[in-house]
Amino acid sequence: MATPSPGYSMILRVQAPSGLTVTSELAAAAARVGAGVTALDIVESHHDHVVVDVSCNVSDAGHRDEVRDALESVQGVQVRKVSDRTFLIHLGGKIEVSPRVSLRNRDDLSRAYTPGVARVCMAIHENPADARRLTIKRNTVAVVTDGTAVLGLGDIGPEAAMPVMEGKAALFKQFAGVDAWPVALDTKDTEEIISIVKAIAPAYGGINLEDISAPRCFEIEARLREELDIPVFHDDQHGTAIVALAALFNALRVVDKKIEDVKIVVSGVGAAGHAIIQLLLDQGVRNIVACSRKGAIHRGEAYDDPHRQWIAENTNGGGFSGSLKAAMVGADVFIGVSAPNLLDETDVAAMNEDAIVFAMSNPDPEIDPALAVAHATVVATGRSDFPNQINNVLAFPGLFRGLLDAGASDITTEMLVAAAWAIADSVAEGELNASYIVPSVFDPHVAPAVAAAVQRVAEGADGSAAADRPASPETREPSPVAV
């Protein structure tokens, strides 16, 4: 999986003898050691030498050093400096606050601030609902984390989580025009987190919980949903579930199978796995085997974790108790939200014909997609350097846009399913194929489509996005964190 990536993009500033072939020699030297050269720019020119910025993608820090050595092996070349473009983009942070109104003179100031602002304050005091109309609340989301489950890095703390939270806020703005702000909390105490979020909630129209470890994330979300009058959404759970469901809708169209007929193996029963299973059951999937590190979750075992106990009671009707690899035999769909390199080519070969594999562990998936495609018809990952990227950015910007525009106070399963269908339907019939089951994250039509679908459901309009979809079964016990 160690391939050059824009996530490891470098600029090597080199001094080289002047000459007509200097840039081609530098490009060839970098390419010989596997660098993906993206640009060569002459930044200084002198009679006897030039200074060239060599921009390239590498796979890791060791590969970067190989490229530097390769350039310096060219006669007369000296590497002056190596800059990491990923770190450069983070210098000073990635977001800022900018005013929406001009403050050009005393008149402007007297309206935006004192004394005129006092009248607006009193209007809100007399009618608190006006806060949505007269403040940033109607368009602002708090991105809340405690830094305990950041990407695949684990518990790295609130400061180290900030670059991810800033990135999340930037995506909210870029794709849906939502103003979001990171709130990184220096506490892991569940009650304290709930208390802090409740205390800051008056300034926000919604709460996006991010990178909070399980099982605390379940209680934090459930309690905040009960105790706040604005929507609360744990993206690691429900954002992943929305996009996975959207991808599954289209993958099943590609292989011509029905959702109620397939056997689905889910690897990972944490936050994302639990939410995916909830949506799969809601959509009528009848045969799900969920696996943890110890193997299949089943009714024959008691679990201290109520969320795993719920999975045991609502899935795996056949009582399968074997390993993940054994569960793959005869499966139609694999959905992985767990750990890298759990499966090999033989495991995919043991699945049914026209198998679907969603290996979404990041940055390294449960199986190398290059191996999975040898036996599966549809393969998707969470990575941007392979086709069919299952990325939460397809869901959360549009979801919150719709919630904010509707003035919603809660999030329902119907909204999540509507969002999934909006994403799936963004891939036109003529575009759909095994390597294109979800739209690009840069497709400008996706977020508005998701927002419109969610808003229709939130406002209770007729003809919601899920109106002509399969009805939800009503016979199951509710999940302890059912939405």
Side-chain angles (χ1 to χ4, degrees), residues 23 39 46 249 277 308 329 352 359:
T23 54
H46 305 273
F249 286 152
I277 291 168
R308 295 194 184 201
V329 177
N352 284 339

Side-chain angles (χ1 to χ4, degrees), residues 14-163:
V14 304
Q15 179 177 316
S18 57
L20 294 176
T21 63
V22 60
T23 54
S24 60
E25 289 175 8
L26 294 173
R32 274 197 300 273
V33 292
V37 178
T38 57
L40 295 103
D41 300 296
I42 296 177
V43 294
E44 294 180 26
S45 179
H46 305 273
H47 290 301
D48 59 344
H49 72 274
V50 292
V51 177
V52 182
D53 280 350
V54 180
S55 300
C56 61
N57 297 334
V58 299
S59 58
D60 53 32
H63 192 199
R64 174 201 61 201
D65 295 340
E66 288 182 42
V67 175
R68 181 190 60 206
D69 294 344
L71 293 174
E72 290 194 325
S73 70
V74 178
Q75 186 173 0
V77 169
Q78 174 191 356
V79 176
R80 286 187 179 180
K81 185 178 181 180
V82 179
S83 299
D84 188 319
R85 295 180 66 198
T86 298
F87 277 80
L88 291 175
I89 203 174
H90 285 79
L91 286 176
K94 302 188 290 293
I95 58 175
E96 65 181 3
V97 174
S98 58
R100 296 181 63 243
V101 297
S102 297
L103 301 174
R104 298 162 298 183
N105 50 50
R106 289 181 181 274
D107 283 356
D108 291 342
L109 189 60
S110 69
R111 286 190 291 268
Y113 200 51
T114 186
V117 72
R119 294 170 51 229
V120 181
C121 292
M122 289 309 298
I124 296 172
H125 175 69
E126 293 166 5
N127 182 22
D130 274 349
R132 273 188 49 82
R133 187 171 62 89
L134 296 172
T135 74
I136 62 172
K137 184 181 181 78
R138 68 183 297 169
N139 197 55
T140 306
V141 170
V143 181
V144 179
T145 188
D146 64 357
T148 54
V150 181
L151 301 178
L153 305 173
D155 184 354
I156 60 174
E159 294 89 354
M162 278 294 290

